[in-house]
Amino acid sequence: MTGEKLAMFGGSRAVPPERASKELVGWPVITDAEREAVVGVLDSGQFTSNNPGAGQVQLLEREWAALVGTTHCAAVSNGTTALELALTAAGIEPGAEILVPAFSFIASAVAPVNRLVVPVFVDIDPVTFTMDPRAAAAAITPRTAAILAVHLHGLPCDMAELRELADRHGLLLVEDAAQSHAARYRGVRTGALGDIAAFSLNVVKNLPTCGEGGLITTNNDALHSRLLRLRQFGEVLEGRVKRDYVSHELAGNAKLSAVQAAFARCQLDRLEDYHEARDRNVRAMLDRLAALPGLRVPHCPEDRTHAWHILRFRFDAEAMGIEGVTPGGLRAAIERVMRAEGVPLQQYQRVPLPRQKALLTREGFGGYPWKLHPGAYDKEGEFPNTLAVIEDSLTLQRWHLNPASGPVLQDCAAAFEKVWGNLDRVATLARAMSPATAEAAR
Ligand SMILES: Cc1ncc(COP(=O)(O)O)c(C=O)c1O
């Protein structure tokens, strides 16, 4: 501990602005390979996934299935659509229920709603931040048809437990792998762990495209064939020389463009190398931070690898020796002092999913799908772990995705150490930012 003066009180910043350069912490990393690939598509005149032969979309699908270890992959327009089509392809009908973790990005809840499937929320494990299998078991009803295993922040869920639960109750096990590209659980990649899996290729993800995109993986031939129809107006294109415009089932347009696929293929070429560099950089930072009392760094159980999409840090006031603060007050104080040091810590998810305004008011679909079973969804559940994590933690996003970010992450570690060397100042600030304790003291 240095006791060095905090930047907030006139000291120098642990991470000066010029240090956070595009080269070291920008994401995605764009090279000449991407530039050439995008121009190559423009010159080819093959822009969509329904051009005959092996276009960029088909090549991306093959390469992603090979890496994940599934027989099939279907590319679609984004990760939310990927989740929606996965549910529909598997025959999850309107009015059915799906277990969704209370802690996730809104898409994990909205995708089922878009298909008139009711999300039933389940608390998380406070260490892995993924669905607690015991809470999931307790949430099953006769209407439950599926479990959505969200590998949040890049860490695979406890898939053995969820698989056992799904098999015991005859449920579909869907992976939301939007944040967990190439992570492994007991040697198997996310995307090959459930019955069907959805990935996002959004530009901020570990496997980004230059905009929006999604991938759906499965080993099930029938599910894959149906996905191909669902992304193309219900038409069958495969094995045909000429499109016949016959729609076999109701479906819209959810295709990925060839430009997005070509860009993503370049990123895929470097995914493993980037992961190894990220793993080294992040672990070097976390090893250093593990020594700071009351700072709970992200944990990766022995049987998994972590894609390190988002790094979440929890703060334990008692272990830090700080009294008279609320977890939220301490979090807010740490955010302020760390930002002053040049570390862009931020909240990611401010309420449990069921307390998102859209899900409280249920506006937009005339009260459906909940209205399909009147009275069944009047009570809001309890999500103590989700609430605690939201209150007492902050995240680092994007910077560490860049494989060259190692030295900046060391600076970030130095910023944490500096802040921990000034816990008396942090405590004073945290007390001022703790409304409940301030009121009690009055
Ligand atoms: C956990 C999770 N699920 C689903 C999605 C949706 O992906 P997209 O933004 O590509 O629609 C995201 C994207 O942020 C996500 O983080």
Side-chain angles (χ1 to χ4, degrees), residues 78-80 83 104-105 107-108 150 176 178-179 200 202 205 213 348:
N78 59 61
T80 310
L83 283 170
S104 185
F105 180 65
S108 306
V150 183
D176 181 339
Q179 302 188 0
S200 168
N202 180 275
K205 296 296 190 288
Y348 174 72

Side-chain angles (χ1 to χ4, degrees), residues 74-138:
V76 294
S77 47
N78 59 61
T80 310
T81 301
L83 283 170
E84 288 184 35
L85 296 196
L87 295 179
T88 300
I92 306 297
E93 303 243 312
E97 293 173 4
I98 181 168
L99 303 184
V100 175
F103 196 45
S104 185
F105 180 65
I106 187 73
S108 306
V110 158
V113 172
N114 283 346
R115 299 280 147 168
L116 297 181
V117 175
V118 179
V120 171
F121 296 100
V122 171
D123 206 3
I124 54 159
D125 176 278
V127 175
T128 63
F129 310 134
T130 56
M131 185 184 278
D132 174 357
R134 272 167 310 167

